[in-house]
């Protein structure tokens, strides 16, 4: 298949690759330390890489250029980092929802693609509809006040109340101020979901 389609690196487009990311482009990605980079409301928040250079390009390819295969590389990076954390629990994967108009315009839910690929590595179950996005909000990188922008914009699907004692792994692509994760953590805690760990592909400086 690689011979037929001439597989190329997603970043530099070189054709001498076995994977979607060549060795040189992979070397330019630096993983962060394997301890919580933030603790909010007793929930540990980890981030695998800095949101810069090749990681930034991969995320932008997925979100804005319809390069779905980028989700495979991002999930690989996430799993490489996750293995270093030595977390032994069995988790249920959840992720921030996307407002339906964005999903329609893009044609897919980018975080679902990352979650699906990450699940292949871990065999963790995914719940796709634990959260609903109830109102449109500006992208967080455009919002001046990120916390007020995102406040009260999510709701919880109460049909999963019986799972509140399970361990949940909340994943996301980027954390900037952390406002989105904090809003979701608050929503989970208010409804009795207390066993939560957060893991993002990247964080801004």
């Amino acid at each position: 298949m690689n011979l037929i389609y001439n597989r190329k690196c997603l970043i530099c487009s070189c054709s001498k690759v076995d994977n979607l990311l060549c060795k040189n482009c992979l070397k330019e990605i630096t993983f962060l330390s394997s301890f919580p980079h933030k603790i909010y409301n007793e929930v540990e928040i980890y981030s695998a890489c800095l949101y810069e250079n090749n990681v930034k390009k991969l995320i932008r390819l997925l979100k804005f250029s319809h390069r779905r295969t980028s989700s495979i590389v991002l999930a690989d990076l996430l799993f490489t980092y996750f293995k270093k954390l030595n977390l032994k629990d069995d988790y249920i994967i959840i992720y921030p929802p996307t407002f339906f108009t964005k999903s329609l315009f893009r044609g897919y839910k980018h975080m679902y693609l990352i979650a699906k690929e990450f699940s292949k590595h871990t065999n963790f179950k995914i719940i796709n509809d634990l959260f609903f996005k109830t109102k449109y909000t500006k992208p967080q990188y455009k919002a001046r006040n990120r916390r007020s922008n995102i406040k009260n914009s999510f709701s919880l699907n109460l049909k999963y109340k019986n799972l509140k004692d399970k361990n949940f792994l909340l994943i996301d692509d980027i954390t900037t101020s952390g406002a989105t994760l904090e809003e979701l953590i608050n929503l989970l805690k208010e409804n009795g979901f207390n066993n939560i760990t957060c893991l993002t592909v990247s964080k801004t400086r």
Side-chain angles (χ1 to χ4, degrees):
M1 293 296 289
N2 288 347
L3 290 172
I4 294 170
Y5 291 105
N6 192 23
R7 174 178 279 186
K8 295 181 179 180
C9 173
L10 284 169
I11 299 296
C12 70
S13 297
C14 73
S15 57
K16 296 180 180 180
V17 293
D18 295 322
N19 298 305
L20 292 166
L21 200 65
C22 72
K23 292 180 180 179
N24 290 332
C25 288
L26 181 59
K27 285 179 182 177
E28 293 180 13
I29 295 175
T30 302
F31 287 94
L32 295 172
S33 57
S34 55
F35 62 85
H37 300 105
K38 187 175 184 178
I39 297 177
Y40 174 78
N41 202 358
E42 300 181 343
V43 174
E44 295 179 339
I45 301 174
Y46 299 87
S47 296
C49 313
L50 283 176
Y51 181 65
E52 61 183 19
N53 303 326
N54 288 346
V55 174
K56 184 176 183 178
K57 290 175 184 177
L58 288 166
I59 291 173
R60 292 182 67 84
L61 282 172
L62 178 61
K63 294 177 75 171
F64 306 118
S65 299
H66 301 279
R67 296 296 295 274
R68 299 190 189 198
T69 49
S70 185
S71 65
I72 299 173
V73 182
L74 293 170
D76 286 348
L77 296 176
L78 202 60
F79 181 63
T80 298
Y81 178 77
F82 178 76
K83 288 187 292 185
K84 298 177 182 178
L85 302 182
N86 200 31
L87 299 175
K88 301 298 184 181
D89 294 319
D90 189 30
Y91 290 94
I92 296 174
I93 300 171
I94 54 177
Y95 54 87
T98 305
F99 196 64
F100 75 97
T101 54
K102 286 185 181 179
S103 298
L104 288 173
F105 176 77
R106 189 175 285 145
Y108 54 88
K109 297 177 181 179
H110 77 284
M111 277 311 305
Y112 167 68
L113 296 183
I114 295 175
K116 182 176 69 170
E117 295 300 328
F118 184 73
S119 175
K120 290 178 183 178
H121 291 298
T122 60
N123 291 319
F124 295 158
K125 178 184 176 182
I126 306 171
I127 292 181
N128 295 308
D129 59 346
L130 181 62
F131 301 113
F132 297 113
K133 189 76 176 288
T134 55
K135 67 177 183 179
Y136 175 80
T137 55
K138 289 182 180 179
Q140 287 294 79
Y141 63 89
K142 289 184 178 180
R144 290 186 178 181
N145 190 329
R146 293 183 173 92
R147 282 177 174 77
S148 62
N149 176 58
I150 207 75
K151 192 168 182 60
N152 297 324
S153 60
F154 302 110
S155 65
L156 194 70
N157 191 341
L158 296 180
K159 78 176 185 180
Y160 293 111
K161 267 266 191 175
N162 62 315
L163 299 177
K164 64 182 180 181
D165 293 326
K166 299 290 186 180
N167 298 309
F168 287 87
L169 187 65
L170 174 57
I171 68 171
D172 203 359
D173 54 351
I174 315 164
T175 179
T176 50
S177 66
T180 299
L181 292 179
E182 290 174 12
E183 185 72 10
L184 293 174
I185 289 168
N186 288 338
L187 183 60
L188 287 167
K189 292 257 184 175
E190 288 165 5
N191 286 277
F193 294 76
N194 294 308
N195 304 320
I196 311 158
T197 301
C198 294
L199 177 63
T200 70
V201 176
S202 63
K203 68 184 291 291
T204 56
R205 288 186 181 272

